[in-house]
Amino acid sequence: MFSRQNRMIASLYMVGDAVLALASYWLAYSARAHFFPHLGEFWNTPFYTWIVPFIPLIWITVGLAAGIYRDILEEDWRFILWNPVKVCAICSLILFALTFALRALYISRLLMSLFAAADFAAMVLFRLLVRNFGGALRDTFGSVRHFLIVAGTPGVPEAFEIAREIESNQGRGLKLAGFALVDSTPGGSEPHSPPSQAPSFSFGRTGLRGSYPVYALGQIPELLRRHVIDEVIFAVSRDELAGLEETFLLCEEEGVKTRVLVSFFPHVISRVYLERLRDMPLLTFSTTPENEFLLLLKRALDLVMALVLAVVLSPVFLVLAAAIKLTSRGPVLYRQTRCGLGGRKFMLYKFRSMHADADQQRRELMPLNEADGPVFKIRDDPRCTPVGRFMRRFSLDELPQLFNILKGDMSFVGPRPPLPEEVAHYERWQRRRLRMQPGLTCLWALEGRNKLNFRRWMELDLEYIDTWSPALDWKILLKTIPVVLLGRGAS
């Protein structure tokens, strides 16, 4: 597991263990007071509350000192059973010693024993739940990350070692997409043949569990366009760096995170940091936000806000659905395939604002297109229904995308998800906008929404990616509200 990911998961375990310790103390106190009141004298609540602040402090300190958060290995039974035994035993001894040192002899020994047993059970159950249902949590808070390994002839053993580590972390969302070899064309394929024709073969005694496609270096540009590749890892020698400069800059321009096993590589706008995959140092270049904690917070806020708004606005949903159904033929919802994070395809939901045959009329109306670039926009689109025109003016047709946010396809703030046919006409530098979760609004919404030309739209999306922070998200959200309510820049 990558060290940054391990630190984030370890922090979540620390918080979880501290919360479970507090909950176990409350449960033990309640059990002692209600089920065993006759077993000796039991003092009132105020005599026990002073212990509460010490519980999370002692638990986290002991856990850190014992190293249980150093390597998060859910598949290892020592992590599931032995670590909780170790922490609960040491923490219980410290609490007993603390009560003796403070001469708090009124503290119930039965309470402390119940507390230790409840906390041990809670820690084990917590780890088992994460191990068995971690995939569902991962799908909620983040998607699978696909890796391509670029290997030179001297770097093949290191490439296999990286591949084995990625395979061993499939449960944490890491997936190996294949290999690209620097100076050979495996299986006799042509260097520029489509990636779909790349051969797949087993690597023999390399320790890999599966077989993966092997591409030539010249296939990478087309591979990035046709497949979801989130990160590219270069396992090459120093002598091969000069020949890989164009490939590296291609990944950077498209916003694909790159990692290298060498100390130098050309870059222009990437943030560079050193990360480890187990004990292998990787120099990492990224042109997208990398703070996992803040991105996790962004996702959590998206979930809460979308759920609350979906409930609060449910009467509005019903009114709009009835208005659409009563005034025009066709379904209430309009579904359209869009490109999300990394080019992933997903189904976007909107209230239908046009006649049912609007897509068939698009080619006839193409000469009236008012937008530049690969985008199609008409200010007074004749395909819109009266209800649809009203909804579009105040962006009410976008409300069903709250369910896209709940599914994890979108966020409240981010570049708008484009159509696949639009992405096909992107220039290379424009494809980097696909490396951030798409959203309902972004910086372009504050500059007139549909009044912007295509290039300025793309520049604003990249500016958002380069300067992203939670504060920027809130600034955009707060400034978008009056823009939407007043219907400025909508069509």
Side-chain angles (χ1 to χ4, degrees):
M1 188 192 307
F2 292 102
S3 56
R4 285 193 170 203
Q5 184 185 19
N6 188 82
R7 286 195 298 271
M8 183 183 71
I9 296 175
S11 299
L12 295 176
Y13 268 103
M14 281 192 285
V15 173
D17 287 347
V19 171
L20 289 175
L22 290 171
S24 298
Y25 183 73
W26 173 82
L27 182 63
Y29 180 87
S30 300
R32 174 64 178 85
H34 293 92
F35 298 109
F36 307 101
H38 57 284
L39 297 179
E41 186 177 6
F42 188 64
W43 293 56
N44 294 328
T45 302
F47 290 92
Y48 290 89
T49 53
W50 65 268
I51 301 178
V52 173
F54 290 99
I55 291 175
L57 178 63
I58 293 173
W59 253 251
I60 292 177
T61 302
V62 170
L64 290 172
I68 70 169
Y69 305 115
R70 189 174 298 119
D71 290 313
I72 306 300
L73 303 171
E74 288 97 345
E75 67 275 7
D76 191 342
W77 281 100
R78 288 176 299 178
F79 177 80
I80 295 175
L81 291 176
W82 175 239
N83 284 350
V85 168
K86 186 164 48 176
V87 169
C88 289
I90 296 174
C91 290
S92 298
L93 288 174
I94 292 175
L95 280 180
F96 273 111
L98 186 63
T99 58
F100 276 107
L102 297 176
R103 297 185 178 181
L105 301 180
Y106 55 86
I107 297 294
S108 170
R109 304 297 182 268
L110 177 59
L111 167 63
M112 302 299 285
S113 300
L114 290 173
F115 172 39
D119 188 55
F120 168 75
M123 290 181 70
V124 172
L125 182 61
F126 175 51
R127 282 154 174 75
L128 287 173
L129 288 174
V130 171
R131 183 174 117 166
N132 294 328
F133 301 100
L137 290 173
R138 184 202 67 227
D139 293 339
T140 301
F141 287 95
S143 57
V144 174
R145 298 194 65 80
H146 298 78
F147 292 79
L148 176 71
I149 299 176
V150 177
T153 304
V156 167
E158 291 83 2
F160 287 146
E161 188 174 355
I162 293 172
R164 286 192 292 270
E165 281 297 322
I166 292 174
E167 272 193 339
S168 66
N169 284 276
Q170 286 184 354
R172 299 185 180 93
L174 308 187
K175 184 174 182 180
L176 183 60
F179 294 82
L181 301 186
V182 171
D183 54 0
S184 65
T185 307
S189 62
E190 294 297 324
H192 297 287
S193 61
S196 59
Q197 297 178 9
S200 178
F201 66 96
S202 177
F203 289 93
R205 298 180 181 178
T206 61
L208 296 179
R209 297 192 293 265
S211 298
Y212 302 94
V214 181
Y215 306 97
L217 191 66
Q219 293 176 278
I220 290 182
E222 187 67 10
L223 180 65
L224 295 181
R225 298 181 69 88
R226 290 176 175 266
H227 296 268
V228 174
I229 302 294
D230 298 296
E231 299 188 26
V232 177
I233 300 178
F234 292 85
V236 295
S237 68
R238 183 179 299 273
D239 296 334
E240 292 169 320
L241 290 179
L244 293 173
E245 180 174 349
E246 183 62 27
T247 303
F248 184 87
L249 292 176
L250 163 70
C251 294
E252 181 182 65
E253 193 170 18
E254 291 213 9
V256 179
K257 183 186 294 184
T258 55
R259 306 178 190 265
V260 294
L261 276 169
V262 292
S263 59
F264 168 80
F265 215 92
H267 65 282
V268 178
I269 58 176
S270 296
R271 288 173 291 274
V272 185
Y273 55 90
L274 185 67
E275 188 164 17
R276 292 181 179 274
L277 180 62
R278 284 286 181 167
D279 56 351
M280 296 177 289
L282 297 174
L283 194 61
T284 303
F285 302 78
S286 178
T287 57
T288 54
E290 286 300 308
N291 192 316
E292 289 91 349
F293 297 100
L294 294 182
L295 290 172
L296 181 64
L297 176 63
K298 176 182 173 74
R299 176 62 186 143
L301 289 174
D302 282 339
L303 278 173
V304 173
M305 291 170 58
L307 186 60
V308 170
L309 286 174
V311 173
V312 171
L313 296 176
S314 56
V316 178
F317 276 75
L318 293 175
V319 170
L320 292 176
I324 294 168
K325 199 66 179 175
L326 294 172
T327 57
S328 62
R329 291 181 302 161
V332 170
L333 290 180
Y334 176 70
R335 297 171 174 84
Q336 190 176 48
T337 301
R338 296 290 183 103
C339 292
L341 182 64
R344 294 167 174 81
K345 304 294 193 303
F346 72 95
M347 192 63 66
L348 179 135
Y349 306 114
K350 300 176 72 172
F351 279 128
R352 182 174 57 83
S353 60
M354 296 184 178
H355 297 291
D357 60 347
D359 287 338
Q360 287 73 32
Q361 299 179 33
R362 177 170 175 171
R363 180 172 296 182
E364 301 173 7
L365 297 173
M366 193 62 73
L368 302 177
N369 185 21
E370 299 173 3
D372 61 338
V375 182
F376 180 79
K377 286 286 184 181
I378 302 176
R379 184 178 302 275
D380 296 315
D381 199 317
R383 300 173 297 172
C384 282
T385 64
V387 172
R389 204 175 303 279
F390 171 79
M391 289 192 301
R392 290 171 68 129
R393 178 170 179 78
F394 298 101
S395 299
L396 296 174
D397 59 320
E398 312 284 354
L399 287 180
Q401 287 163 48
L402 291 173
F403 297 101
N404 285 119
I405 295 175
L406 289 173
K407 289 173 59 181
D409 296 326
M410 294 177 61
S411 173
F412 274 97
V413 183
R416 283 296 291 170
L419 294 167
E421 53 265 32
E422 294 174 357
V423 173
H425 292 90
Y426 277 4
E427 297 178 31
R428 271 173 33 178
W429 67 271
Q430 295 166 349
R431 289 180 57 84
R432 188 161 67 91
R433 71 185 295 271
L434 299 175
R435 299 299 164 173
M436 192 75 177
Q437 193 84 6
L440 289 174
T441 184
C442 203
L443 288 173
W444 41 262
L446 310 182
E447 290 199 14
R449 299 161 81 186
N450 295 323
K451 295 180 180 179
L452 295 173
N453 62 51
F454 182 73
R455 184 179 185 87
R456 178 58 180 161
W457 178 11
M458 298 294 102
E459 290 173 348
L460 286 172
D461 281 343
L462 296 183
E463 180 183 336
Y464 168 76
I465 293 173
D466 293 336
T467 60
W468 177 81
S469 69
L472 178 60
D473 275 0
W474 281 107
K475 178 181 177 181
I476 293 172
L477 278 173
L478 293 175
K479 288 190 174 183
T480 298
I481 292 172
V483 171
V484 171
L485 293 177
L486 296 175
R488 293 202 298 261
S491 64

